[in-house]
Amino acid sequence: MKAVAVPPQEEFALKETSPAIGVAGLGRDKLTSTYDLVEQMQYLYVRVVKAKELPGKDVTGSCDPYVEVKLGNYKGTTRHFEKNTKPEWHQVFAFSKERIQSSIVEILVKDKDVVKDDFIGRVVFDLNEVPKRVPPDSPLAPQWYRLEDRKGDKAKGELMLAVWMGTQGDEAFPEAWHSDAASVGGDTVGKIRSKVYLSPKLWYVRVNVIECQDLVPNDKTRFPEVFVKAMLGTQGFKTKICPVKTLNPMWNEDLLFVAAEPFEEALVLSVEDRVGPGKEESLGRCLIPLHMLQRRLDHKPVNTRWYNLEKHMIVDGEKKEAKFASRIHLRICLDGGYHVLDESTHYSSDLRPTAKQLWKPSIGILELGILSAHGLMPMKNKDGRGTTDAYCVAKYGQKWVRTRTIIDSFHPKWNEQYTWEVFDPCTVITIGVFDNCHLNGNPGMRDSRIGKVRVRLSTLEADRVYTHAYPLIVLHPSGVKKMGEVQLAVRFSCSSWMNMLHMYSHPLLPKMHYIHPLSVIQLDSLRHQAIHIVSMRLSRAEPPLRKEVVEYMLDVDSHMWSMRRSKANFFRIMNVLSGMIAAGRWFDQICNWKNPITTILIHILLIILIVYPELILPTIFLYLFMIGIWNYRWRPRHPPHMDTRLSHADVTHPDELDEEFDTFPTSRGNEIIRMRYDRLRSIAGRIQTVVGDLATQGERFQSLLSWRDPRATALFVTFCLLAAIVLYITPFKVIILFYGIYVLRHPRFRKRLPSVPINFFRRLPARTDSML
């Protein structure tokens, strides 16, 4: 029996499925949670995992650490370890929400002693900031937290914790309090578990460098050429060199950084003197901890502050601090009114500002069921055969979820369900499928991409369950390839229709983006810094969410040049303009009397609208209403998916794909680079011609009254005077009537030559003859 070849577009199409979801009595159109039939009791869970780099408190330089979890009048303690600076407890504490009497929970690390236990450090959480976990969400991933002393300053040592609000259905509940948590097993088992991750809270750090005073240059014989260099982690920016050579320079420049809570690095400002090409000398520096900065929620400026600049001098071979301190005048704040973009604005999953005080109430719940995958391709070789260890990652808002890894299966079944709060319907959830390449102890391996799916919430009907098999499409240097299908069940439940509809009248981004907008270059640079921070933080969780996974989900390379995407965007524009082009052709047929009955009806409509002009706008809106009602029968029934035809992935030349996958800067040979450069020059030449034609038409409009061509301007001015007189004397309705009849005149009264106004306009001078 011969296999039937599948048409390419059908192979990449979305398929509706009918999985056996739901429970008896509810039908298949209702997804349910495991614990929706019980009264939920809320608990605060604190999972204490381990600590490291704890300082020694005894005379011998060792410590006997234990952890005390304190919430109001309630506290629980772990067992203590003797002479161990890297203890591991793996204990869970549960506190009933009904008995919570405090707004903070303290996790204190202490040293067991005979007389009095010594305080080592603590970590404090605000209960309002503690994330909620609703089953069947996977457990929160523990993270490292730097210990603080009682004043809030950094102390030596780190503690790994996970804090969340859950219910009695939480799997940690049976082992909570003084009993040990269930052992995960070996490292391999930990790498295949399902987990929930939270993106770090990102802030824009705005540094307004105003001025410096009393600078002391190293060379007293010259005035310094001063600029300020600011560093925050790996991010670095410089101000311009002060145009006035003085010891009290002024700049008033803004520098923007991205920072993530908890703040681990201080802002370092250094005043530099350019003494020669590529040679700089420091005139002073200062360190500013970010947790001390004021948090701004609106556009009102924060207070300025003077900071002393530290300067070290070499005296007799020893490094000593200068007694006289220069000063720098700064206005620094954490801008909480912006949304820190880590995704492309075209498919963002979260558009809220950083400051939680500015958040609006949620409008609904998004539920995602990751059911299974089918027909996955082998991603690696094991024991001489192809194999795939697949897992899914879904990202919406600050919450990332990762399913468990199904070992060695081309048809994995996950059947895991997750929920998110929705604050804006015009957002997108991203689901990616990956191959786990870290099960055999290969730390240098990267998890391979199998495919990605995006679902826009605004395209979903409320309370309807969408069950589809989405094609997993990946673009390779050899061409587009289907890697399999992933079966998803999606439901968007709206809790407030009024709030959701009201969201359509709100700006897409927080108001600070419009009151004090950031440039496109700034946003692009800050976005890549945010992606780097998020990927580094999530890769430090246990188990880590790999950097390559985070970057793929956030489309880190979406800004790179691609001939394929350029063509696709051009045809998207042509598709948008096709409606206008079709309307122009229809009107041309009306004017040329292709269908006499239709043209006569248009004449009658024109006369009615001229006699009753108050009917013009109602007619237009009624026409649009009728078009919308007519199109309702053919409305899309399925959510959108990755379209190979729209992306021009199925007709791309191999060299264009090779260019798209090339590194930046390029790694190709000279001949290939020369060929691509020549191709780019030819395309740019066409664009140059179009831009020049547009400029020519604009300059012709300007020359109507510029007297560049005195005869043409005299004719136009005379025509304007006569037109003013005729329009003043003749009723406007009569003019519109005669003009409409003239435009719709029979072809017998038309000429194939261009009209007089067009001939006159094309003869007007432009500045093209003045160009080299």
Side-chain angles (χ1 to χ4, degrees):
M1 185 175 177
K2 267 190 175 181
V4 179
V6 180
Q9 279 308 116
E10 186 177 340
E11 181 187 359
F12 297 125
L14 185 73
K15 300 174 185 176
E16 190 168 8
T17 59
S18 300
I21 60 175
V23 295
L26 293 178
R28 289 188 176 183
D29 59 344
K30 191 73 173 177
L31 285 173
T32 59
S33 173
T34 308
Y35 299 98
D36 62 344
L37 300 179
V38 296
E39 183 179 0
Q40 294 184 346
M41 297 181 293
Q42 298 291 327
Y43 286 87
L44 171 68
Y45 287 93
V46 179
R47 183 186 296 274
V48 181
V49 184
K50 56 185 176 180
K52 67 179 181 179
E53 300 177 1
L54 296 179
K57 293 292 184 179
D58 297 339
V59 179
T60 59
S62 62
C63 66
D64 309 322
Y66 70 93
V67 172
E68 178 183 288
V69 182
K70 187 176 181 182
L71 181 65
N73 296 328
Y74 298 92
K75 64 180 180 180
T77 58
T78 67
R79 67 188 186 280
H80 79 279
F81 290 87
E82 292 185 1
K83 299 181 179 181
N84 192 338
T85 58
K86 297 180 180 180
E88 294 187 15
W89 294 283
H90 295 288
Q91 287 187 242
V92 181
F93 299 87
F95 298 88
S96 175
K97 187 177 180 182
E98 296 179 354
R99 300 180 181 180
I100 291 179
Q101 302 173 355
S102 175
S103 61
I104 61 172
V105 57
E106 294 180 83
I107 299 94
L108 301 95
V109 181
K110 294 185 176 181
D111 176 36
K112 192 76 173 178
D113 206 340
V114 178
V115 181
K116 183 180 179 181
D117 296 345
D118 295 324
F119 173 82
I120 296 177
R122 67 173 183 171
V123 179
V124 181
F125 290 92
D126 187 344
L127 295 186
N128 294 323
E129 299 289 337
V130 173
K132 292 182 180 180
R133 182 194 167 210
V134 180
D137 281 359
S138 298
L140 289 174
Q143 297 184 19
W144 284 106
Y145 292 87
R146 174 69 66 178
L147 294 179
E148 300 176 351
D149 58 20
R150 298 190 185 276
K151 297 181 180 180
D153 296 330
K154 288 183 180 179
K156 188 175 180 181
E158 290 185 78
L159 186 62
M160 180 176 281
L161 300 169
V163 182
W164 72 94
M165 297 296 298
T167 66
Q168 80 278 16
D170 199 294
E171 74 283 346
F173 182 77
E175 291 82 25
W177 207 250
H178 292 287
S179 59
D180 292 339
S183 178
V184 176
D187 293 338
T188 302
V189 176
K191 293 175 182 177
I192 66 174
R193 297 297 188 191
S194 56
K195 288 291 180 182
V196 175
Y197 305 84
L198 291 175
S199 291
K201 191 174 184 179
L202 300 176
W203 292 82
Y204 283 148
V205 182
R206 185 181 294 272
V207 182
N208 179 226
V209 183
I210 303 174
E211 60 179 330
C212 283
Q213 279 189 358
D214 305 326
L215 294 179
V216 181
N218 297 328
D219 186 357
K220 307 292 185 180
T221 61
R222 55 179 287 276
F223 283 101
E225 299 181 21
V226 186
F227 64 93
V228 176
K229 181 167 63 177
M231 294 290 297
L232 181 61
T234 58
Q235 307 170 67
F237 295 100
K238 297 179 181 179
T239 66
K240 298 177 182 177
I241 295 177
C242 180
V244 181
K245 294 183 179 181
T246 175
L247 299 180
N248 301 299
M250 299 184 66
W251 295 278
N252 198 23
E253 287 188 36
D254 273 357
L255 306 176
L256 274 177
F257 300 87
V258 179
E261 291 187 358
F263 302 123
E264 298 179 346
E265 295 169 328
L267 177 67
V268 181
L269 291 169
S270 175
V271 181
E272 303 285 333
D273 176 19
R274 191 180 70 176
V275 296
K279 188 178 180 182
E280 303 161 358
E281 290 183 354
S282 176
L283 302 182
R285 64 196 297 266
C286 65
L287 274 71
I288 304 173
L290 296 185
H291 68 270
M292 298 175 58
L293 301 182
Q294 183 176 345
R295 305 190 177 197
R296 186 173 73 161
L297 305 182
D298 51 23
H299 63 282
K300 297 178 182 178
V302 299
N303 296 327
T304 62
R305 182 178 170 184
W306 288 95
Y307 293 87
N308 289 333
L309 295 173
E310 298 178 358
K311 185 178 180 182
H312 298 280
M313 303 177 65
I314 305 299
V315 179
D316 297 332
E318 296 183 1
K319 189 176 182 181
K320 295 185 178 180
E321 187 173 341
K323 295 181 179 179
F324 181 78
S326 305
R327 300 193 303 168
I328 185 170
H329 195 194
L330 303 171
R331 179 183 283 113
I332 313 179
C333 66
L334 297 171
D335 260 335
Y338 290 92
H339 170 67
V340 180
L341 293 167
D342 59 350
E343 303 167 291
S344 172
T345 53
H346 300 296
Y347 26 82
S348 281
S349 63
D350 189 12
L351 300 168
R352 294 171 295 170
T354 300
K356 195 171 183 179
Q357 300 93 313
L358 302 178
W359 291 3
K360 293 180 172 57
S362 64
I363 61 169
I365 297 294
L366 172 65
E367 296 167 279
L368 171 68
I370 303 175
L371 305 178
S372 60
H374 301 283
L376 297 183
M377 302 293 290
M379 301 301 297
K380 57 181 177 287
N381 290 320
K382 182 180 180 181
D383 299 329
R385 61 183 181 85
T387 181
T388 298
D389 306 319
Y391 67 92
C392 277
V393 174
K395 197 266 181 188
Y396 185 79
Q398 294 182 337
K399 180 177 172 182
W400 300 67
V401 300
R402 169 179 172 165
T403 68
R404 66 191 186 279
T405 301
I406 306 298
I407 306 297
D408 194 13
S409 175
F410 299 134
H411 306 279
K413 293 183 178 181
W414 295 287
N415 290 311
E416 298 183 22
Q417 182 178 336
Y418 300 92
T419 60
W420 287 267
E421 278 190 300
V422 178
F423 294 87
D424 194 320
C426 302
T427 47
V428 175
I429 181 172
T430 304
I431 304 101
V433 184
F434 301 88
D435 176 48
N436 196 330
C437 297
H438 293 82
L439 302 183
N440 299 321
N442 297 323
M445 295 289 290
R446 294 167 60 91
D447 287 354
S448 303
R449 310 170 180 177
I450 298 179
K452 182 166 57 179
V453 174
R454 299 191 194 102
V455 179
R456 184 171 291 275
L457 271 60
S458 60
T459 63
L460 305 178
E461 297 178 14
D463 299 320
R464 175 186 168 187
V465 177
Y466 291 83
T467 53
H468 292 87
Y470 292 81
L472 296 171
I473 304 170
V474 173
L475 199 62
H476 292 283
S478 58
V480 65
K481 192 173 184 180
K482 181 179 177 180
M483 307 297 291
E485 294 178 343
V486 60
Q487 189 176 9
L488 305 174
V490 184
R491 181 178 66 183
F492 169 50
S493 303
C494 179
S495 59
S496 174
W497 276 92
M498 291 301 297
N499 288 343
M500 184 177 70
L501 296 178
H502 187 54
M503 286 299 299
Y504 282 86
S505 65
H506 287 191
L508 192 63
L509 293 169
K511 65 179 183 180
M512 280 295 289
H513 286 267
Y514 306 96
I515 297 176
H516 284 297
L518 305 176
S519 67
V520 176
I521 298 177
Q522 272 184 314
L523 286 174
D524 188 58
S525 173
L526 292 170
R527 176 179 171 245
H528 283 84
Q529 293 294 338
I531 292 175
H532 175 73
I533 291 174
V534 171
S535 62
M536 294 304 294
R537 287 289 180 93
L538 294 180
S539 66
R540 289 167 49 187
E542 289 195 5
L545 194 61
R546 303 284 172 185
K547 181 181 179 182
E548 62 270 18
V549 173
V550 176
E551 290 182 346
Y552 179 61
M553 296 288 288
L554 296 178
D555 289 283
V556 68
D557 56 352
S558 61
H559 67 293
M560 298 299 290
W561 160 257
S562 167
M563 181 70 75
R564 174 189 59 82
R565 278 198 291 258
S566 300
K567 289 182 179 179
N569 290 331
F570 172 77
F571 283 103
R572 286 173 60 201
I573 294 174
M574 296 305 298
N575 187 45
V576 170
L577 297 177
S578 62
M580 300 173 60
I581 296 172
R585 290 174 179 172
W586 174 81
F587 186 73
D588 184 66
Q589 292 177 356
I590 295 296
C591 295
N592 288 287
W593 291 70
K594 297 293 184 182
N595 190 335
I597 297 177
T598 305
T599 304
I600 292 172
L601 291 176
I602 294 297
H603 277 82
I604 296 172
L605 178 63
L606 174 66
I607 294 172
I608 293 174
L609 294 179
I610 290 174
V611 176
Y612 302 102
E614 63 274 9
L615 296 178
I616 295 176
L617 289 179
T619 302
I620 294 174
F621 285 107
L622 181 62
Y623 179 68
L624 296 176
F625 171 78
M626 295 302 296
I627 292 177
I629 294 299
W630 180 262
N631 290 338
Y632 180 76
R633 295 187 299 171
W634 295 283
R635 68 190 184 277
R637 302 284 183 171
H638 310 300
H641 65 287
M642 299 294 183
D643 192 334
T644 56
R645 180 172 294 176
L646 177 68
S647 306
H648 269 249
D650 52 348
V651 293
T652 306
H653 192 274
D655 181 69
E656 294 176 0
L657 284 176
D658 182 71
E659 181 182 18
E660 184 171 342
F661 282 91
D662 190 9
T663 57
F664 187 86
T666 182
S667 58
R668 300 296 184 264
N670 293 336
E671 292 299 324
I672 296 178
I673 296 173
R674 184 179 294 108
M675 182 270 293
R676 291 174 180 172
Y677 177 65
D678 291 338
R679 180 176 62 195
L680 196 61
R681 287 178 64 190
S682 65
I683 296 173
R686 297 173 197 169
I687 297 174
Q688 173 183 286
T689 302
V690 173
V691 172
D693 290 341
L694 292 174
T696 298
Q697 307 309 320
E699 289 169 353
R700 283 174 176 167
F701 272 108
Q702 291 179 342
S703 64
L704 284 172
L705 296 171
S706 67
W707 296 92
R708 168 62 67 180
D709 184 342
R711 287 167 292 277
T713 302
L715 286 172
F716 181 70
V717 169
T718 305
F719 168 77
C720 291
L721 177 62
L722 295 176
I725 296 172
V726 171
L727 290 173
Y728 180 76
I729 297 174
T730 310
F732 187 69
K733 293 182 179 180
V734 175
I735 294 175
I736 295 296
L737 177 63
F738 278 102
Y739 179 75
I741 294 174
Y742 173 77
V743 171
L744 298 173
R745 66 192 184 278
H746 196 273
R748 186 178 300 177
F749 304 104
R750 295 177 181 273
K751 297 180 181 179
R752 294 189 175 182
L753 298 177
S755 62
V756 173
I758 292 177
N759 293 332
F760 177 78
F761 182 76
R762 288 176 177 172
R763 291 178 175 274
L764 292 173
R767 304 183 67 183
T768 51
D769 50 350
S770 300
M771 291 186 63
L772 293 174

